[in-house]
Amino acid sequence: MPANFKAELLACFGQPVDENPTGRMQEAAFRELGLNWRYLTVEVPPANLRDAILGARAFGLRGFNLTIPHKVAVLKYLDEIAPDAAAIGAVNTVRREGSRFIGENTDGKGFLHGVRTDAGLDPRGRRAVVLGAGGAARAISTELALAGAAEVLVVNRSPERGAAMAADLASKTGCPIRYEPWRGVYRVTSAADLLVNATSIGLFPDAAAMPPVDLAGAHPGMLVADVVFNPPETPFLAAARKLGLPTLDGLSMLVYQGAIGFRLWTGREAPVAVMKAALAQALGVA
Ligand code: NDP
């Protein structure tokens, strides 16, 4: 039989993308399973997104990821949007079915998978506090609501954004999602089972920054999670650990959202340990 040199193609479209480590973990997964697939990291300015997607169709890409600033803008170029991605209002993963591009959002699902698998917490019936009202907070709040959380409290600096997100997601999911302004230090109460920093506070190069949160009132089992993955060891998580609270870092969300994408594209179970190791190496934390 002649050799088949033609690879199946995937891509990530964003700007900037230079430091996006997703390609490293997807390529490591292809190697592990012996798949002749390639993942290209492509810089696409906003004005070129439509052309990039036409190119993806022309090249027969099996799918692609979207990162900053394309997660919302991409919606109008797709053939179908999964219900949870529609509620979130953003797509980070596109898969191809025949000639149709279908938009998914794996960010919140990846987060929840980490909460269940790595931290052993089932969000059903639990009360969550989500710090932030940007894309990550929106995806996480939606999936928590769809997973049966008893309540999601959104705490955000900009009141308009936080209140609008809480009202929108409450009406879309039927879950009690409330907003509370973030003035000064936010004091956690013993009612919360899960606290998530879904802001960009602590992200490189401001790695010493810490969300203004007082954890003293937390109950001892409250899970403290951070979406920031660069660096994965944030001062916020370090403070929680110092108080003896269980923690979950942003690498968990990043690897599981990628693993869900891998399964959607290839139909194979993702080699999660290999992907995690590749990510840690790419980020210099192996
Ligand atoms: P957005 O820009 O959409 O939202 C940023 C949020 O952070 C806003 O709610 C903003 O509040 C808040 N914020 C930023 N700075 C401050 C500050 N100094 N004080 C208070 N609030 C602040 O970003 P994303 O939601 O897309 O990303 C947020 C983080 O999530 C990033 O670090 C990103 O890397 C990470 N992320 C991680 C993923 C993973 O897999 N681990 C996946 C996706 C994202 P305001 O509304 O008031 O401006």
Side-chain angles (χ1 to χ4, degrees), residues 19-21 200-207 226-234 249-251 254 282-285:
E19 289 174 17
N20 190 307
S200 43
I201 303 172
L203 179 65
F204 178 85
D206 292 322
D226 206 326
V227 298
V228 170
F229 60 84
N230 186 17
E233 172 67 22
T234 60
D249 69 27
L251 274 187
L254 187 61
L283 293 169
V285 294

Side-chain angles (χ1 to χ4, degrees), residues 129-146:
V129 176
V130 177
L131 304 172
R138 209 178 155 88
I140 288 169
S141 300
T142 303
E143 299 296 350
L144 281 169
L146 295 177

Side-chain angles (χ1 to χ4, degrees), residues 75 78-83 91 95 97 100-104:
L75 266 74
L78 302 176
D79 302 301
E80 189 181 325
I81 314 287
V91 160
R95 64 188 169 90
E97 245 183 54
R100 294 167 58 73
F101 276 155
I102 300 167
E104 307 268 356

Side-chain angles (χ1 to χ4, degrees), residues 1-214:
M1 207 165 84
N4 175 10
F5 294 107
K6 177 189 160 288
E8 300 294 342
L9 297 179
L10 295 166
C12 174
F13 299 149
Q15 188 182 49
V17 282
D18 309 33
E19 289 174 17
N20 190 307
T22 304
R24 296 289 191 88
M25 78 170 159
Q26 296 294 355
E27 291 263 334
F30 303 149
R31 276 195 301 279
E32 176 70 13
L33 298 193
L35 296 176
N36 186 20
W37 290 54
R38 293 287 177 278
Y39 186 101
L40 310 171
T41 301
V42 186
E43 179 148 331
V44 176
N48 291 356
L49 181 62
R50 183 173 166 274
D51 288 349
I53 290 166
L54 288 174
R57 288 189 194 278
F59 287 178
L61 258 61
R62 297 291 292 259
F64 49 94
N65 283 133
L66 287 311
T67 185
I68 289 171
H70 302 315
K71 288 185 184 182
V72 176
V74 73
L75 266 74
K76 56 180 174 290
Y77 303 123
L78 302 176
D79 302 301
E80 189 181 325
I81 314 287
D84 61 334
I88 295 164
V91 160
N92 76 330
T93 302
V94 172
R95 64 188 169 90
R96 181 164 64 77
E97 245 183 54
S99 61
R100 294 167 58 73
F101 276 155
I102 300 167
E104 307 268 356
N105 196 312
T106 66
D107 279 337
K109 286 193 186 103
F111 174 77
L112 252 63
H113 191 80
V115 166
R116 290 190 178 106
T117 312
D118 292 351
L121 180 81
D122 180 357
R124 179 169 297 277
R126 305 299 187 131
R127 294 169 182 268
V129 176
V130 177
L131 304 172
R138 209 178 155 88
I140 288 169
S141 300
T142 303
E143 299 296 350
L144 281 169
L146 295 177
E151 182 189 79
V152 178
L153 178 63
V154 174
V155 177
N156 194 54
R157 178 182 60 179
S158 306
E160 316 75 38
R161 200 176 182 195
M165 183 182 104
D168 181 42
L169 294 185
S171 77
K172 283 177 174 160
T173 64
C175 172
I177 303 183
R178 293 189 298 116
Y179 167 69
E180 197 172 304
W182 196 350
R183 296 198 192 95
V185 174
Y186 174 71
R187 287 183 209 294
V188 177
T189 74
S190 62
D193 302 300
L194 167 66
L195 171 69
V196 192
N197 174 38
T199 75
S200 43
I201 303 172
L203 179 65
F204 178 85
D206 292 322
M210 170 106 161
V213 173
D214 181 353

